Amino acid sequence: MKITVVGGGYVGLVSGACLAKTGHDVTIIDTIPQKVDMINSGRPPIYEKGLEEILKSCVGRNLCASLNYDSVAESDIALICVGTPPRPDGSANLEYIESAAESIGREIGKAESRGVHRFRTVVVKSTVPPGTTEKIVFPAVMKGVGSCATADELSIDIGFAMNPEFLREGLAVEDFLNPDRIVIGSGGGKAKDAVTAMYEGIGTERLYCGITAAEMIKYTSNAFLATKISFSNEIGNICKQLGIDVYEVMKGVGMDHRISPFFLNAGAGFGGSCFPKDVSALVSLAESSGIDPVLLKSVLGVNDAQPLRMIELLEKRIGDISGKHIAVLGLAFKNDTDDIRDSRSIPVLAELIKKGAKITAYDPMATAAMKTLFDESKVIYCANAKDALKDADACLVMTEWPEFTKLDAEFDGMRSRVIIEGRRILSVKDKEGICW
Ligand code: UDX
């Protein structure tokens, strides 16, 4: 099939590349010229395991990037993968969705008036509040079409569908090619068939449902996973107070197949581009529908408080933080990514700075990103963990990087051996966990 992917961010780029890998002819549209150039030269603008290999093998063959929407004319599917960033009140900003939809419509209108007729399906992959595909995307596409095509041509054949993504950063390529399920929301008919055909190369269970249900499935999945984490963190906080190992507890709890062992790891809370944003959007959606989402608000509340527990623990161990040298290991919101969006390290660094600590920090990939938030006058960024730990009064381990599990003699360079971990990964003695 010919597929146009609108948006070359994590979701669009990974989806576009993987669809090319499964044999489709894919064009990725982005507004940033440098990004388009990088993709067209086979270099991924973000780090994602396995992505570079796919770009190298498909670019120049059946994958390219473009600054314009020309490819929509010949495409069977236009996949909308633009961002839905949070507004100040937590609700999703749908501006980019609307403008992408209108641009797609304009291109369809132009193509039809040139006599290029075909059935095209507009598929929303971005995470959007229920109702967006029908109430915003559909009218925006039709507005775009209307601005370029005559009344006769407005009998144009366009289908609409919603197909949420469930990609984890760092494992996005693997998740796309081996998903637990593919959710296809549509009104049935040719749109459903088109999206089904797009996934022909991927063997897994399909769930066919309505468009708004598909939109809600994405928010609900992320909210449920975030709830599991906040729940584990709350239990972890209780366990720590009672002197019980929360990891032993959750191991036993997760053996119940109704609960499953995943996403029960207690720690400093969840970050990333999805969970905090999506739970906030769901809270805002609930409130605007007259529902008080008590549970979801608590999920966010536990998550906001959790990183500050690292600081409380630190103060319990070393007293006043002012003037003390604190090493922070791990800046990315999780391991295997250079992404710091909503990383739990951010509130921790902000609090340490506020309290007057001297901070050294190390992350295998995310240093450059964190420098844009806290410059080198506030945080001394080191080239490795050993340098960050040298002469430190205490150390906070924030991210689950596998290389931190091997740290040992590096801690000997600290002035005092106060080691607090926000994820359970260290194997050295004298460490203390945030909730274990
Ligand atoms: C998530 C969803 O998993 C994915 O399906 C969705 O499409 C996008 O959002 P991602 O944000 O990339 O993916 O990372 P994920 O691995 O889910 O972790 C999110 C956060 O939760 C990280 O900060 C991670 O450290 C934290 N986490 C995860 C925990 O604190 N405990 C756990 O047990 C698991």
Side-chain angles (χ1 to χ4, degrees):
M1 295 171 92
K2 285 194 190 308
I3 299 169
T4 294
V5 177
V6 184
Y10 272 97
V11 174
L13 181 55
V14 170
S15 304
C18 291
L19 288 168
K21 187 181 162 67
T22 58
H24 300 296
D25 197 340
V26 178
T27 303
I28 297 172
I29 300 174
D30 204 276
T31 50
I32 304 170
Q34 297 91 311
K35 204 184 255 188
V36 167
D37 289 345
M38 282 185 82
I39 298 172
N40 282 334
S41 58
R43 286 176 299 137
I46 47 151
Y47 172 76
E48 194 57 58
K49 198 161 71 191
L51 185 58
E52 187 160 6
E53 289 81 338
I54 302 182
L55 293 194
K56 292 242 169 332
S57 70
C58 296
V59 168
R61 232 167 35 90
N62 61 337
L63 176 63
C64 70
S66 169
L67 286 165
N68 63 55
Y69 281 72
D70 291 356
S71 58
V72 170
E74 304 284 346
S75 288
D76 304 295
I77 286 185
L79 205 57
I80 299 181
C81 299
V82 296
T84 51
R87 289 204 194 92
D89 68 353
S91 64
N93 178 352
L94 302 173
E95 239 171 74
Y96 305 115
I97 295 274
E98 194 169 1
S99 100
E102 198 175 330
S103 302
I104 291 169
R106 261 198 304 276
E107 219 47 53
I108 295 177
K110 279 196 273 175
E112 291 289 325
S113 39
R114 285 200 314 268
V116 184
H117 303 298
R118 67 195 302 150
F119 174 69
R120 301 178 184 85
T121 307
V122 178
V123 184
V124 176
K125 203 174 235 320
S126 305
T127 300
V128 292
T132 302
T133 306
E134 284 165 2
K135 294 200 187 98
I136 290 182
V137 174
F138 173 74
V141 169
M142 296 324 282
K143 183 176 167 204
V145 170
S147 69
C148 300
T150 62
D152 275 356
E153 291 157 350
L154 283 178
S155 57
I156 295 168
D157 209 4
I158 306 176
F160 289 84
M162 200 287 156
N163 165 231
E165 53 85 15
F166 303 101
L167 311 175
R168 289 165 299 171
E169 280 183 32
L171 295 167
V173 169
E174 191 186 315
D175 282 348
F176 193 97
L177 297 171
N178 303 292
D180 284 351
R181 80 297 209 189
I182 293 172
V183 174
I184 300 173
S186 73
K190 288 195 283 184
K192 174 183 163 189
D193 295 343
V195 185
T196 303
M198 178 170 84
Y199 285 111
E200 208 176 62
I202 297 176
T204 188
E205 215 174 322
R206 271 87 171 133
L207 175 78
Y208 295 104
C209 58
I211 287 181
T212 46
E215 291 168 329
M216 193 64 180
I217 284 170
K218 172 60 196 247
Y219 274 112
T220 309
S221 295
N222 276 355
F224 189 75
L225 292 169
T227 304
K228 282 185 96 172
I229 299 169
S230 276
F231 177 82
S232 305
N233 288 341
E234 182 149 279
I235 296 291
N237 296 340
I238 300 169
C239 282
K240 178 146 180 115
Q241 203 59 29
L242 300 178
I244 301 167
D245 180 350
V246 65
Y247 276 72
E248 256 180 40
V249 171
M250 284 317 198
K251 190 169 178 194
V253 171
M255 286 165 86
D256 185 325
H257 75 276
R258 295 169 302 176
I259 297 174
S260 102
F262 306 104
F263 276 69
L264 294 180
N265 292 328
F270 54 79
S273 62
C274 291
F275 289 171
K277 164 177 90 71
D278 292 351
V279 181
S280 300
L282 198 49
V283 165
S284 149
L285 185 72
E287 285 173 341
S288 63
S289 323
I291 302 282
D292 182 17
V294 183
L295 179 59
L296 296 176
K297 285 197 292 192
S298 300
V299 168
L300 292 175
V302 170
N303 202 50
D304 289 341
Q306 206 63 7
L308 298 177
R309 296 181 67 88
M310 295 290 285
I311 308 285
E312 273 169 39
L313 210 50
L314 182 63
E315 283 174 327
K316 249 191 220 155
R317 296 285 298 273
I318 66 167
D320 188 5
I321 293 173
S322 174
K324 297 269 170 58
H325 173 179
I326 313 297
V328 176
L329 299 186
L331 303 171
F333 88 89
K334 66 175 194 182
N335 58 296
D336 290 326
T337 177
D338 56 1
D339 196 340
I340 58 157
R341 281 179 287 179
D342 263 309
S343 166
R344 301 296 82 194
S345 312
I346 297 171
V348 164
L349 287 175
E351 196 61 16
L352 289 174
I353 292 166
K354 200 169 104 193
K355 291 188 180 263
K358 173 192 167 190
I359 308 165
T360 51
Y362 167 68
D363 188 280
M365 288 178 110
T367 299
M370 199 55 95
K371 276 186 190 168
T372 63
L373 279 190
F374 301 105
D375 65 31
E376 284 162 279
S377 67
K378 300 197 179 80
V379 177
I380 301 164
Y381 294 95
C382 300
N384 54 56
K386 188 177 173 198
D387 290 355
L389 290 166
K390 193 168 175 330
D391 297 330
D393 294 299
C395 149
L396 302 179
V397 180
M398 297 302 304
T399 316
E400 229 184 340
W401 282 102
E403 72 169 69
F404 295 163
T405 62
K406 298 185 204 110
L407 293 175
D408 189 355
E410 290 83 349
F411 291 107
D412 296 342
M414 295 176 72
R415 185 173 302 137
S416 63
R417 219 178 147 87
V418 176
I419 305 167
I420 301 172
E421 54 177 355
R423 295 307 296 268
R424 184 182 261 192
I425 51 166
L426 300 178
S427 44
V428 283
K429 60 178 172 38
D430 304 329
K431 61 177 190 291
E432 179 173 1
I434 178 173
C435 36
W436 53 92

